[in-house]
Amino acid sequence: MTYYFSRTLEGGFDEVVGRTREAPKQEGFGVITEIDVQATLKTKIDVDFRPYLILGACNPAMAHEALQFEDKVGTMLPCNVVVQERPDGMIEVAAIDPVASMQAIGNPALSDKAAEVAAKLKGALERI
């Protein structure tokens, strides 16, 4: 089992990032965190790295439900979505597969909720 879903797209990095921020909204998600890995690596350790952005997507209602099933599930939230420029110039968008990550917990109720979240993340990726 893979631990993520992904799509490879043509277009500029910033354009794809913009589309990636918008697509999850139709599934009830919002972007609540953002890590610019390229800028962080340059600032912290003076390393040049390709454009690479980690967006933390959260569906508050689903996160609340998951927290009712397992109070430590917050260690796995929000759902990370990566936008990166590949060496061939294409832009890849990848999102965590919550079903894969929730298998580590072993709570059937949480697994069912993870499947719902996965369907919504897949839908968002298709809209980008």
Side-chain angles (χ1 to χ4, degrees), residues 5 17 33 62 67-68 87 115:
F5 314 115
V17 167
T33 62
M62 295 185 112
L67 287 163
Q68 301 307 304

Side-chain angles (χ1 to χ4, degrees), residues 7 19-20 23-25 27 29 119-128:
R7 273 191 86 182
R19 291 173 21 209
T20 302
K25 290 179 182 178
E27 298 289 348
F29 288 84
K120 289 181 175 293
L121 286 173
K122 285 180 184 177
L125 275 179
E126 289 303 314
R127 285 189 189 88
I128 299 171

Side-chain angles (χ1 to χ4, degrees), residues 8 12 36-37 59 75 86 92 100 106 113 123-124 126:
T8 303
D36 183 336
V37 174
N59 179 308
T75 61
R86 297 184 346 175
E92 181 181 24
K113 185 54 56 184
E126 289 303 314

